[in-house]
Amino acid sequence: MSPSENLVENFADVEDTQNPSQRATLAEEPAGPVNLGAIEERLRRHAVDFYSSVGTAPLTIINSGSELQPERPREVLIYRPKQKVRNEALRVLQEWEGIVLTVSESPGGSEDFFVAELHDLTNQNEAESAEFSLDEVYIDQRNLVKPGAPFHWIIGYRDRNGTRERVSQIVFRRLPAWREEDIDEAREEARVLAESIRFE
Amino acid sequence: MPSQSDLNDYGSPPTPDQVEIVLLGPGYGESVVVHIGGGNWLIVDSCIGRDSETPASLNYLHAIGIEPNSSVKLIVSSHWHDDHVKGLGQVVEVCTSAKFSCSTAMTKIEFLTYVNLHERLNLRRATSGVEEIKKVLIALSNRTPIRAIENRRLEVFEPAVTGHGQECEVWSLSPSDVQIDKFIDEIVDLIPKDTEAMRRASAEGPNHVAVVLWIKVGNTNILLGSDLEETGVGTGWSAIVNSTARPSGKAEVFKVPHHGSNTSHNNDVWSKMIVAPNPVAILSPFVLGSARLPSKDDANRILDYTDYAFLTSNHRQTRRTRRPPTVERTIREAAKSMRPSLSPLGGIRLRSRPGLSQGPWSIECFENAEHLSQVS
């Protein structure tokens, strides 16, 4: 059987793809005599119509004849997801600036927790201290939970697509690393300050 | 200036011939205010009470009608930990007639490097003691501080100025050179390395360089233990007790070190440096998360030495600010526990006339201060 006779084709489902998010594929059809010219023309018309509507360059049209590959042709991917308008807002009810004071880790990690000093950013109330399970921290941030590490704890409502959920977020600040220049500069300032202090 | 709410009813000032010791503590932090006689005052360390922005020591002096700028003659910073330095910069700024004393450890380049690095962290409210220390040290470049080291007389007040006709001496009993070297070694390890993420400074490790003070007014002695812990032979309290160069005598009043912790306890201090029976012991608590000092065991241990033991604040009575129901519900779900860092400022005041051996000391408790037996 010639390669052209093995051409996978069937555009019955392509005709339904007025919606750009639909995927057009070349479906298999039982082997047998086929009208390559008609199929190719339908493919070409479809591709031109679709890409005209979205304004992008067309895919390479697989030609008949010697350019046909004996293997199964690739899928023609014309998927373009619909742009969704994000409708989400976080309404903050209470926010603290926190500093990790101690971290306690148990064997097996079942009771890991940290103690933090909290400063009320919403109402400027007195400082508080709190104990949190490490489970309250998103897993990708747990390596940041160390004594002295600053974080924000936010309580509020998240409104998203017509629904509301109450949230508690502990977010650690990814602070820059100290640089050697910072340390050298601090050391030089220290030297100047130390020399300015004269004990009796 | 303190606000009206800062001015608790502390009554009238001591008479010129009275010695007065006031320990102030809001549950995290402490400050000691001492009247040695004749209107001459000392301030040791600094803390800020809940709902206040001015140092507790200045608020106390204003409350009893004393002007700190002319009356305070000596300020001592016993060490750099956050709970002992809050508001210290303001105290130094206001008390323009006062000399200042601290350990030389706080002026070593290694420590200042540590301070300089950590003050760069731009936090909105969660600042640490290093910012306060920096303010104090910058102010010192215009003054001549007194070096507090072991067995050094920091200040003397002649009988003519003390109001009771007794000479007063203020001595530092620590730190030793060994302790300062140990401290520097630890600080060097705490200095961040390059590529290490920035974090706020946190006090770690034992207090090697806390300044212990011995105040001698005639035959009356007072031992202020700061936060010095027992760290082994040749350091900590062992070094002080065994020193042959320290002032002689026994103290009638003991400010128990490090919030009564067992790491600061040394039997020989009680037997060799404190009168018996029944000296007056005063201390402030320390609460951080679930850690609480003094524990019930600590309290019982101290009560074995004296019936007159008092604590500036009791956290049992502390309630945190209530927030809207939604926030409270979420706090209960997210946090294992939450409590205010500070309780209302408590104070213990002792007064006596020097020259009367072993008291009597009058003892007054203000706000949440109470007898140590109430610790649970």
Side-chain angles (χ1 to χ4, degrees), chain B residues 204-227:
Chain B
E204 299 173 47
N207 289 297
H208 291 300
V209 291
V211 176
V212 171
L213 291 179
W214 182 268
I215 301 175
K216 186 176 184 61
V217 185
N219 290 328
T220 302
N221 298 309
I222 301 156
L223 177 58
L224 303 180
S226 178
D227 267 6

Side-chain angles (χ1 to χ4, degrees), chain A residues 179-195, chain B residues 108-117 120 187-188 191-193:
Chain A
R179 301 171 306 164
E180 201 171 323
E181 303 94 87
D182 295 324
I183 297 168
D184 290 344
E185 200 176 290
R187 192 169 281 123
E188 179 57 24
E189 278 177 33
R191 187 189 63 77
V192 170
L193 182 55
E195 285 177 4
Chain B
K108 295 287 186 189
I109 289 177
E110 294 84 348
F111 177 69
L112 295 176
T113 303
Y114 177 82
V115 167
N116 285 338
L117 281 169
R120 293 169 186 218
I187 280 292
V188 166
I191 291 175
K193 313 294 178 288

Side-chain angles (χ1 to χ4, degrees), chain A residues 9-49:
Chain A
E9 63 206 348
N10 188 339
F11 286 101
D13 55 340
V14 174
E15 290 186 348
D16 296 331
T17 58
Q18 293 304 308
N19 185 338
S21 67
Q22 291 272 346
R23 183 195 243 170
T25 59
L26 301 176
E28 283 194 355
E29 202 178 41
V34 294
N35 185 344
L36 290 176
I39 291 169
E40 189 178 293
E41 177 57 22
R42 280 170 63 192
L43 173 60
R44 189 194 65 78
R45 266 193 292 115
H46 169 74
V48 168
D49 288 345

Side-chain angles (χ1 to χ4, degrees), chain B residues 98-158:
Chain B
K99 293 182 183 176
F100 181 87
S101 179
C102 68
S103 160
T104 50
M106 281 168 53
T107 61
K108 295 287 186 189
I109 289 177
E110 294 84 348
F111 177 69
L112 295 176
T113 303
Y114 177 82
V115 167
N116 285 338
L117 281 169
H118 285 95
E119 65 152 0
R120 293 169 186 218
L121 202 60
N122 192 17
L123 297 171
R124 287 164 67 178
R125 290 192 64 202
T127 54
S128 75
V130 294
E131 287 90 357
E132 198 72 49
I133 290 286
K134 184 74 179 284
K135 277 188 227 174
V136 171
L137 293 173
I138 288 173
L140 289 188
S141 57
N142 298 324
R143 293 193 195 186
T144 307
I146 306 171
R147 195 190 312 260
I149 55 174
E150 64 176 342
N151 303 324
R152 179 180 182 171
R153 191 173 73 175
L154 301 178
E155 188 61 280
V156 60
F157 297 87
E158 300 295 337

Side-chain angles (χ1 to χ4, degrees), chain B residues 19-35:
Chain B
V19 170
E20 174 179 298
I21 304 147
V22 181
L23 177 62
L24 301 164
Y28 181 81
E30 68 180 39
S31 178
V32 185
V33 186
V34 180
H35 178 248

Side-chain angles (χ1 to χ4, degrees), chain B residues 77-85 106 111 114-115 128-130 133 183 187 190 201-204 207 209:
Chain B
S77 174
S78 74
H79 63 295
W80 65 287
H81 287 175
D82 186 41
D83 58 330
H84 286 248
V85 300
M106 281 168 53
F111 177 69
Y114 177 82
V115 167
S128 75
V130 294
I133 290 286
F183 169 75
I187 280 292
L190 291 179
S202 61
E204 299 173 47
N207 289 297
V209 291

Side-chain angles (χ1 to χ4, degrees), chain A residues 122-182:
Chain A
T122 304
N123 297 310
Q124 312 297 313
N125 287 322
E126 72 277 2
E128 293 156 292
S129 67
E131 212 167 283
F132 297 96
S133 164
L134 272 180
D135 289 339
E136 292 295 318
V137 179
Y138 184 56
I139 193 161
D140 282 358
Q141 292 214 323
R142 289 194 195 157
N143 63 319
L144 300 175
V145 184
K146 293 180 181 168
F151 64 94
H152 277 238
W153 182 26
I154 297 167
I155 289 176
Y157 286 118
R158 176 174 286 119
D159 295 331
R160 177 161 46 195
N161 294 329
T163 63
R164 166 168 281 194
E165 61 177 334
R166 184 161 46 91
V167 297
S168 162
Q169 288 181 330
I170 292 178
V171 181
F172 276 80
R173 288 172 55 183
R174 289 192 180 273
L175 293 173
W178 297 106
R179 301 171 306 164
E180 201 171 323
E181 303 94 87
D182 295 324

